[in-house]
Amino acid sequence: MVPDNSECDRRAKDRFGATIPRELVHRRAISEVLLTGIHTSGNAVYTVSAQWPRWHVFFGSVRHGFDSALVVETLRQLTVLVAHTQLNVPLGMQFLMPDMSVSMAPGALQDPSRPAEVTVEVVVTDIRAAVQGVTAFRTSAIFFVDGQRIAAGTAGARIVTPEAYNRIRSHRGVAVGCRMGRPVPAAEVGHLSPWNVVLNESSDTGHWPLRVDVSNPILFDHPLDHVPGVLLIEAVRQAVRLAFRDPCLDFLTVEAQFVSIAEFSDEATVVLESVSDGPEPAIVHASIQAAGRVRMQARITAKRLVSTGIHQWKSVGTERSALRENLHA
C-alpha cells in the first residue's frame, strides 16, 4: 500500500521536524546541530537524518554543489550521536578520531530554493569494548538527498574516560586568541569572512602557517584543549585552493589520518608535499607539521566546479603543472 501525501508529510516532519539534543553531538549552539534524528535499521545499521541549510556562514564556500566540509561535520556529529544513543557511551567521555575520509559524488547539485533534507545510511563496525564499555568503533556512511547519493564517508573513533584523557593530555597547551600573522585573503580560499580563514600568508610555495582563531564560533563552538580535526581538514582544502588559484575548488575525496594531536602551542605548517603527474583528477599529498612531527597527513583528489550556465567539472591541469614545478624547484 502506497502512503498518501499526508502520511508522507507526517513521516518527513517526524524525521526533519527538529534537531536532536545538542549535547548528543557535542555542540553548544543549537543552530550548529545538523542532525534531526536516528532510527535503527538492523544489527549495527542505522538511518540518520540531517538538514543542511541553503547557505551557512562557514559551510557555504562551494557554489551550487554540496560542500565537503558540511559532509565532514555531519560525519563527525553522527559518529558521536551513534556512540551516545546506540552504543551506550555516557556523556562526558572523551572522543578521539584517528582518521576520517569523505568522497563526494561529482556533479551532485544542491537545490538553492530549500534546505537539503539528508538521509544517511550508517553501518557501525570494528566495535571494541572493555570493562567500562565501548572503547573504539568505526562508522561508514552514505549520504542521500532526494534519493540521490551525494557523498560517502568513514570515521574511526576512540573513547577515553575523562581520567585517562587527563593523564595523556597533562602537557596540553593553553588556547590562544589567534595565531599571529597575516591571514590570506578570504576570497582566495572561497570564504566571505576573514574569520573563516585558517591559513596565514606565506612566501614559501606549498607551505602556509596554520591560523588558529579560538573566537570562531563554528570551529570552536565549545571549549577544546587542541586544534580540532575539522579545522585541519579545512586548512588543507584552503591550501589546495591557493595552490591551484581556485577558490571554488573542492575535494572529490579526502583521506585524513590524525597522527598526533595538534596543540594550541604548535607553530604548525600546512605542507603540500606532492601533486600527481597523471590524468585528472589531480592527486595531492599534504600534511600538517609542527615541532618536527606530523600532526595530520592527507591524500586528496580534486577538481574545480565552475559555473558556465551549465554546471560542469573543469580540469586544474594547467595550475597543477605550475605548482608541481614550484614544489620541486
Side-chain angles (χ1 to χ4, degrees):
M1 179 178 178
V2 178
D4 60 23
N5 289 339
S6 61
E7 176 66 11
C8 292
D9 290 344
R10 184 191 66 78
R11 291 181 181 178
K13 184 177 180 181
D14 288 345
R15 293 179 56 209
F16 302 104
T19 57
I20 63 169
R22 57 189 176 177
E23 63 271 16
L24 294 178
V25 292
H26 299 180
R27 280 295 196 179
R28 278 189 168 180
I30 297 172
S31 60
E32 299 309 316
V33 177
L34 301 173
L35 306 187
T36 60
I38 183 169
H39 302 279
T40 301
S41 301
N43 185 26
V45 179
Y46 310 99
T47 300
V48 175
S49 52
Q51 188 186 76
W52 292 344
R54 296 164 64 184
W55 183 81
H56 188 281
V57 68
F58 185 84
F59 304 114
S61 67
V62 174
R63 305 296 184 264
H64 313 299
F66 294 99
D67 192 331
S68 67
L70 197 52
V71 177
V72 167
E73 173 58 16
T74 304
L75 180 59
R76 184 201 68 81
Q77 289 192 18
L78 70 84
T79 299
V80 175
L81 176 67
V82 165
H84 288 313
T85 63
Q86 308 301 319
L87 302 181
N88 298 317
V89 174
L91 294 173
M93 300 291 274
Q94 296 292 328
F95 282 67
L96 297 173
M97 287 190 172
D99 63 88
M100 179 180 285
S101 66
V102 161
S103 62
M104 306 297 296
L109 303 178
Q110 182 172 3
D111 182 351
S113 67
R114 60 187 176 92
E117 294 184 340
V118 186
T119 299
V120 192
E121 299 299 335
V122 181
V123 177
V124 177
T125 58
D126 301 338
I127 299 174
R128 286 183 284 167
V131 175
Q132 71 270 24
V134 171
T135 60
F137 65 97
R138 173 168 295 279
T139 54
S140 299
I142 302 177
F143 296 73
F144 297 89
V145 174
D146 295 330
Q148 178 187 16
R149 175 172 170 162
I150 57 102
T154 64
R158 290 176 54 205
I159 315 299
V160 183
T161 66
E163 296 76 17
Y165 187 79
N166 287 334
R167 287 196 299 271
I168 65 177
R169 298 289 293 140
S170 60
H171 65 286
R172 58 184 176 266
V174 177
V176 295
C178 184
R179 182 80 61 224
M180 299 299 293
R182 187 171 188 166
V184 302
E188 294 185 9
V189 291
H191 285 282
L192 296 177
S193 171
W195 219 353
N196 294 335
V197 176
V198 294
L199 299 178
N200 283 328
E201 288 188 341
S202 172
S203 59
D204 189 355
T205 301
H207 296 69
W208 291 270
L210 186 69
R211 183 178 183 83
V212 180
D213 184 353
V214 297
S215 71
N216 185 298
I218 311 302
L219 296 171
F220 293 94
D221 163 87
H222 56 282
L224 294 170
D225 67 358
H226 61 278
V227 182
V230 170
L231 187 152
L232 301 180
I233 293 175
E234 174 63 16
V236 170
R237 183 170 71 161
Q238 291 186 15
V240 174
R241 286 174 169 176
L242 286 172
F244 290 124
R245 301 183 182 91
D246 181 6
C248 294
L249 181 146
D250 198 14
F251 299 136
L252 280 177
T253 65
V254 56
E255 301 168 7
Q257 289 80 42
F258 303 104
V259 181
S260 59
I261 293 176
E263 307 287 359
F264 285 121
S265 56
D266 283 344
E267 292 186 6
T269 301
V270 182
V271 180
L272 299 188
E273 298 174 344
S274 67
V275 180
S276 67
D277 195 21
E280 301 294 348
I283 300 174
V284 180
H285 289 86
S287 65
I288 296 179
Q289 305 176 16
R293 298 184 64 188
V294 173
R295 301 304 190 192
M296 185 189 85
Q297 55 190 17
R299 182 185 185 276
I300 300 133
T301 61
K303 282 189 177 183
R304 70 170 57 153
L305 182 64
V306 295
S307 178
T308 58
I310 299 175
H311 306 302
Q312 61 182 358
W313 290 96
K314 182 178 179 181
S315 165
V316 295
T318 302
E319 289 87 348
R320 180 175 62 176
S321 297
L323 173 62
R324 189 167 56 247
E325 290 175 3
N326 288 330
L327 288 176
H328 294 91

